[in-house]
Amino acid sequence: MEKTSSGLQENVAGLLCYLFWVISIVFLLIEKDNKTVRFHALQSICLGVAAVAVWIAILILTAILGLISSALGFIATIMMLVFGLGMFVIVILLLVRTYQGQLWKLPVIGDMAAKWAGI
């Protein structure tokens, strides 16, 4: 594993990108040479933005369905919990694979991040 501009190992820097959005933004700004770390930072930011957008959509859906029927609101709430659990699993997989030195691209988001990072 090669070192990054921050002095960290590539896999550790990539792992940190998936832990906190702020760290992803910092690595994106300071890392000019290491395309792998830039990829992980960009993929993390894209995943976060997509997750927030879906979360907001589910919240709106939950409110609308809750006004129609409490049973529908409950189903939408379950959807929100399933989405949250799914995001948790995806982030854990990204953390593990990144620490192992693997470049794991998520569908659509990973391709965009790879293109922007120059991989």
Side-chain angles (χ1 to χ4, degrees), residues 37-119:
V37 174
R38 289 184 59 79
F39 165 77
H40 289 301
L42 285 163
Q43 182 166 258
S44 173
I45 291 167
C46 290
L47 178 63
V49 169
V52 167
V54 170
W55 193 265
I56 290 170
I58 293 174
L59 280 174
I60 292 169
L61 181 65
T62 302
I64 292 170
L65 292 178
L67 290 173
I68 295 171
S69 164
S70 60
L72 291 175
F74 178 74
I75 291 170
T77 302
I78 297 299
M79 283 177 22
M80 191 180 314
L81 293 172
V82 169
F83 175 73
L85 180 63
M87 286 303 301
F88 179 75
V89 169
I90 288 171
V91 170
I92 294 299
L93 286 171
L94 285 166
L95 288 169
V96 169
R97 290 185 179 204
T98 301
Y99 188 73
Q100 292 172 342
Q102 298 175 13
L103 191 72
W104 191 46
K105 283 196 242 177
L106 295 172
V108 181
I109 293 171
D111 293 333
M112 289 173 22
K115 179 180 172 186
W116 293 337
I119 291 180

